């Protein structure tokens, strides 16, 4: 997902009056993932959420540092950790509601509502754009109104809107995509480990290939969709929309194509049946290798 995609014709998601309505699920007993809200603390230094009276609209220093480090030894986890306590800006746009005929038979003026802006990712999934600064939001959409919220609240909004991705600073020098597991972890204020570094997934994959003698081994590594590029073309160690996890299978030599397809299909079916794997992994790619005798 790049800046040009964000600068297109974003589709507004209509809300009843204000962006707070997009966060209505926060008042329910549990979020969209079934996790209870009880016990979570989304406030900061006595400030109610999305109230930042003295905010100058500048980027959060920790987030900026974590994003800049991606060009060297930085990690996606560090960006996620910095966002956990950061303020971001969500763009909303004015949208005219339908007018009507008043009680005296005269046409009434249309009322203005606010609409939450969403995007479509390259794979068709819904994404919520958020911005680290007012300046970056205004450069992307001059008519959008910046609404300051904690990043955790923006993630809650994404979940309630059915958006699986958060796109940080679309159109800016550096654009970073948080994939679904990272968005859910941010919304629930939990630490997040990318699937390609999650050692708890290794035995799940081992169980999935058990009983398939044609598969000699399997290993996990970052998928080709993890890395991204900044506007200048530099490769960044994260922030891509996916696929995020590559499963490398070493197969016995001489297998016919039909047998290989059957192995891949069976592996996908077994992994899809694992709740833990489904929660931890946003998207996968399978790479096949043929080992010697």
């Amino acid at each position: 997902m790049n800046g040009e995609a964000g600068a297109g014709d974003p589709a507004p998601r209509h809300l009843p009056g204000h962006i707070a309505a997009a966060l209505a699920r926060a008042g329910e007993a549990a979020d969209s993932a079934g996790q209870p809200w009880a016990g979570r603390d989304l406030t900061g230094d006595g400030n109610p959420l999305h109230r930042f009276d003295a905010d100058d609209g500048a980027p959060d220093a920790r987030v900026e540092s974590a994003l800049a480090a991606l060009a060297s030894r930085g990690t996606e986890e560090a960006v996620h950790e910095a966002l956990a306590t950061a303020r971001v800006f969500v763009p909303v746009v004015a949208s005219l509601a339908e007018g009507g005929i008043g009680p005296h038979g005269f046409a009434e003026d249309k009322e203005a509502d606010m609409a939450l802006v969403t995007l479509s990712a390259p794979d068709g999934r819904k994404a919520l754009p958020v911005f680290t600064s007012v300046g970056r939001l205004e450069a992307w959409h001059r008519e959008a109104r910046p609404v300051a919220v904690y990043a955790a609240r923006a993630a809650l909004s994404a979940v309630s809107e059915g958006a699986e991705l958060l796109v940080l600073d679309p159109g800016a020098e550096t654009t970073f995509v948080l994939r679904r597991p990272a968005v859910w972890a941010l919304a629930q204020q939990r630490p997040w480990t990318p699937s390609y570094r999650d050692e708890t997934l290794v035995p799940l994959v081992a169980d999935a290939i058990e009983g398939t003698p044609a598969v000699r081994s399997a290993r996990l590594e970052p998928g080709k969709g993890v890395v991204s590029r900044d506007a200048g073309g530099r490769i960044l160690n994260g922030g891509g929309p996916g696929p995020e996890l590559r499963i490398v299978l070493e197969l016995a030599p001489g297998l016919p194509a039909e047998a290989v397809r059957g192995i891949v299909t069976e592996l996908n079916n077994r992994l899809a049946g694992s709740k833990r794997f489904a929660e931890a992994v946003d998207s996968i790619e399978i790479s096949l290798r043929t080992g010697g005798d």
Side-chain angles (χ1 to χ4, degrees):
M1 183 170 298
N2 54 32
E4 293 181 357
D9 185 15
R13 175 74 176 183
H14 293 286
L15 305 176
H18 191 267
I19 190 174
L23 311 175
R25 283 188 181 270
E28 298 179 0
D31 62 19
S32 295
Q35 298 295 322
W37 301 121
R40 302 188 203 177
D41 179 14
L42 296 182
T43 59
D45 298 330
N47 247 343
L49 286 173
H50 67 271
R51 292 184 183 176
F52 301 84
D53 295 337
D55 199 309
D56 62 0
D60 181 275
R62 288 188 63 208
V63 175
E64 287 287 275
S65 177
L67 289 172
L70 290 174
S72 54
R73 296 183 179 273
T75 64
E76 294 191 309
E77 299 100 302
V79 177
H80 189 273
E81 183 179 356
L83 284 170
T85 56
R87 176 272 293 126
V88 295
F89 294 96
V90 177
V92 297
V93 295
S95 177
L96 292 179
E98 290 297 329
I101 303 299
H104 301 291
F106 294 97
E108 294 180 339
D109 292 337
K110 293 184 177 182
E111 296 180 356
D113 285 338
M114 300 306 295
L116 181 66
V117 179
T118 59
L119 304 173
S120 292
D123 60 5
R125 288 186 293 173
K126 185 185 294 185
L128 180 69
V130 295
F131 294 83
T132 55
S133 73
V134 170
R136 288 168 183 167
L137 185 151
E138 291 178 341
W140 178 74
H141 196 313
R142 286 178 292 181
E143 296 180 1
R145 170 189 170 188
V147 177
V149 297
Y150 285 106
R153 179 55 70 94
L156 292 176
S157 179
V159 172
S160 69
E161 287 295 297
E164 296 189 9
L165 308 172
L166 275 183
V167 185
L168 190 65
D169 289 335
E173 177 70 19
T174 298
T175 297
F176 186 92
V177 177
L178 273 77
R179 298 176 295 275
R180 176 183 51 79
V183 174
W184 286 10
L186 184 60
Q188 299 170 42
Q189 292 193 297
R190 293 188 291 102
W192 169 69
T193 299
S195 61
Y196 52 85
R197 268 198 270 270
D198 190 343
E199 293 296 327
T200 68
L201 299 180
V202 175
L204 297 181
V205 175
D207 289 344
I209 64 173
E210 187 176 0
T212 309
V215 180
R216 294 184 167 180
S217 67
R219 70 175 185 272
L220 309 184
E221 59 187 40
K224 63 183 179 182
V226 169
V227 299
S228 60
R229 293 179 182 269
D230 65 13
R234 289 187 307 168
I235 296 177
L236 306 179
N237 300 320
E244 65 167 332
L245 179 66
R246 177 185 291 128
I247 301 177
V248 181
L249 299 180
E250 182 179 342
L251 304 179
L255 292 175
E258 183 177 350
V260 173
R261 287 194 295 269
I263 290 171
V264 172
T265 298
E266 181 63 20
L267 175 62
N268 280 322
N269 290 339
R270 292 181 180 182
L271 293 176
S274 168
K275 180 180 178 181
R276 167 67 184 134
F277 191 89
E279 289 177 347
V281 180
D282 178 68
S283 50
I284 67 171
E285 58 180 331
I286 296 178
S287 179
L288 305 176
R289 303 283 189 273
T290 301
D293 294 327

